[in-house]
Amino acid sequence: MSSLSVEAGRAPESGIIEVVNAGRDHPDLIPLWAGESDQPTPAFICEATKTSLDTGETFYTYQRGLPELREAIAAHYRRTYGVPFEAAQVCVTGSGMQAIQLAIQAVASSGDEIVIPTPAWPNMAAAAELRGVKTVAVPMDIAESGWQLDMAKLEDAITDKTRAIFLNSPCNPTGWVASLDDLKAVLEMARRRKLWIIADEIYGLFHFGGDGVAPSFLQFCDPDDPVLFVNTMSKNWVMTGWRLGWIAGPARLGQVFENLVQYSTSGVPAFTQRGAIAALTEGEDFLSEQVELARKGRALLLDGFAGNNRVQYAAPDGAFYFFFAVEGVTDTRQFALDLLKETGVGLAPGTAFGTGGEGFLRLCFARRHDHLEEAVGRINQFLQRG
Ligand SMILES: Cc1ncc(COP(=O)(O)O)c(C=O)c1O
């Protein structure tokens, strides 16, 4: 181990995967620990990929992604947010995770800092730290009205080494959704302090706290603003196993992202990109169904825990996670392991989500409703016992 790089040696084991590994073989498992649906990718998407393979699309391809896919992504943004968006602003990546890595590589070097409101999905910080970039947590507050980001605290965390603010809204794990005013304040801060924003709006269509999609930087930023959008095919079109995403931002960065792709994966398979094109161009109805399923899953949980005073939470306004504390439980890692062993319900412990997450557990509700109902019953019973 001592011969490894410091960063690789220090890379943390995912606190979510630790519980997953402990429970994979549980005979009565209801796995709600990961951020994914239990439905397989629909046939119309798979068919497009099969056709591509059958017609021999097995060669190296465009580093920035197939032109048709980049156009389909740009059209998706134009349709969803009613704003101009060009294919030239888009670079296809081998997952949302890779988009995050490229964004970090593009804006920060070893010794630099990135500011991240927490609790947060842990991979962003881990990816930065792997590159020697320090992440500075800005713990969010939970109030009666829900999670809140204090802009003064965010600004206080910025130093002369800060290169970017990572903002994930709707947020995994809290379900917090930044208001348009929050986003405008962050953009104003980024412009004034000469920082990049890495905007993770992958759950933007899963919005339950108001009408329509969640507020987005896209609704008011200029094409040249310092905003990098990282995104994925994983969640909207139930394609988590495909490993496909994109990064979008000022068109002038196109060559930079092309180079970063060339020297990492050298491109994304053309045949999976064909599936993504089908998803983006023919998947509107499917997507609306997914959002409705999640909306009902959320309602089911809120109802199911309504009578349980030990379960404390802010109802999620977006994404598809129920992030809750249990009165009297401080060690949520141990609680997740015990709950799993006793009941077969698999949750992600809040310890995996950084400062401020420790006292919570995360449950994914983009899942079968009978499983959600059963899980709520088992959790309620388990809590009565202890
Ligand atoms: C907030 C957030 N960003 C990015 C990702 C990355 O998604 P993927 O790597 O599956 O494309 C995830 C996955 O859970 C996520 O929750």
Side-chain angles (χ1 to χ4, degrees):
M1 287 296 269
S2 60
S3 58
L4 294 178
S5 72
V6 180
E7 290 80 10
R10 260 201 230 134
E13 176 181 359
S14 159
I16 306 174
I17 302 299
E18 187 197 0
V19 183
V20 174
N21 286 339
R24 274 183 211 283
D25 300 327
H26 193 290
D28 204 11
L29 183 66
I30 303 184
L32 307 176
W33 40 40
E36 65 181 348
S37 160
D38 36 27
Q39 291 179 32
T41 306
F44 73 92
I45 298 177
C46 300
E47 285 307 324
T49 284
K50 288 184 200 165
T51 306
S52 167
L53 278 168
D54 287 345
T55 50
E57 278 196 306
T58 55
F59 298 96
Y60 287 134
T61 185
Y62 297 84
Q63 302 299 293
R64 298 187 202 191
L66 294 178
E68 300 93 312
L69 177 54
R70 296 169 64 211
E71 174 49 33
I73 292 166
H76 167 71
Y77 277 148
R78 292 196 294 267
R79 207 168 48 234
T80 309
Y81 298 102
V83 294
F85 210 88
E86 302 290 327
Q89 294 175 254
V90 178
C91 178
V92 176
T93 60
S95 65
M97 187 60 232
Q98 196 201 4
I100 288 174
Q101 282 173 334
L102 298 194
I104 297 168
Q105 283 174 21
V107 304
S109 304
S110 176
D112 289 340
E113 294 175 5
I114 293 182
V115 172
I116 306 183
T118 59
W121 185 57
N123 291 29
M124 170 69 200
E129 307 274 347
L130 258 183
R131 201 175 145 68
V133 174
K134 184 174 159 210
T135 52
V136 179
V138 180
M140 291 179 64
D141 305 310
I142 183 162
E144 197 65 28
S145 55
W147 290 89
Q148 277 165 359
L149 177 60
D150 182 331
M151 292 300 158
K153 274 197 205 163
L154 186 67
E155 181 130 26
D156 281 351
I158 296 169
T159 71
D160 56 1
K161 292 192 177 144
T162 309
R163 294 289 168 264
I165 300 169
F166 178 76
L167 202 79
N168 171 218
S169 167
C171 175
N172 170 10
T174 60
W176 168 73
V177 175
S179 67
L180 212 49
D181 284 346
D182 288 334
L183 297 180
K184 284 183 178 164
V186 174
L187 181 61
E188 185 279 322
M189 204 181 292
R191 283 176 179 157
R192 184 163 42 78
R193 304 290 298 256
K194 307 226 172 325
L195 304 176
W196 285 92
I197 295 169
I198 303 177
D200 183 332
E201 301 183 346
I202 73 166
Y203 297 102
L205 307 187
F206 291 85
H207 184 219
F208 315 111
D211 294 334
V213 296
S216 164
F217 285 108
L218 284 161
Q219 288 163 306
F220 56 88
C221 75
D222 298 327
D224 263 340
D225 262 323
V227 186
L228 297 176
F229 296 91
V230 291
N231 216 317
T232 176
M233 297 301 297
S234 285
K235 315 288 175 170
N236 291 350
W237 297 279
V238 302
M239 295 174 71
T240 47
W242 290 61
R243 316 311 300 135
L244 256 177
W246 70 85
I247 187 161
R252 66 191 144 84
L253 297 189
Q255 188 60 48
V256 173
F257 287 118
E258 176 170 323
N259 299 342
L260 293 177
V261 168
Q262 173 65 41
Y263 303 124
S264 49
T265 54
S266 301
V268 174
F271 48 89
T272 56
Q273 294 192 59
R274 293 289 173 205
I277 294 168
L280 282 153
T281 55
E282 300 164 42
E284 283 293 292
D285 291 347
F286 176 78
L287 181 47
S288 307
E289 280 164 27
Q290 295 309 303
V291 175
E292 274 322 294
L293 281 174
R295 188 188 302 282
K296 289 193 184 127
R298 171 184 180 273
L300 205 149
L301 290 178
L302 297 182
D303 281 356
F305 288 123
N308 190 336
N309 298 336
R310 289 191 65 197
V311 175
Q312 298 157 349
Y313 56 88
D317 284 338
F320 42 59
Y321 305 100
F322 182 65
F323 199 55
F324 65 101
V326 176
E327 189 205 40
V329 172
T330 45
D331 185 346
T332 54
R333 176 185 162 274
Q334 194 54 51
F335 180 87
L337 291 168
D338 292 344
L339 180 79
L340 174 68
K341 194 160 158 238
E342 296 290 319
T343 71
V345 176
L347 302 181
T351 37
F353 300 96
T355 321
E358 298 87 351
F360 292 81
L361 292 135
R362 189 194 73 174
L363 182 161
C364 172
F365 57 77
R367 310 286 295 184
R368 282 171 50 170
H369 293 168
D370 57 337
H371 279 184
L372 292 178
E373 260 157 9
E374 176 65 26
V376 173
R378 291 190 200 175
I379 295 171
N380 280 336
Q381 253 182 13
F382 180 77
L383 291 181
Q384 260 169 16
R385 272 190 260 154

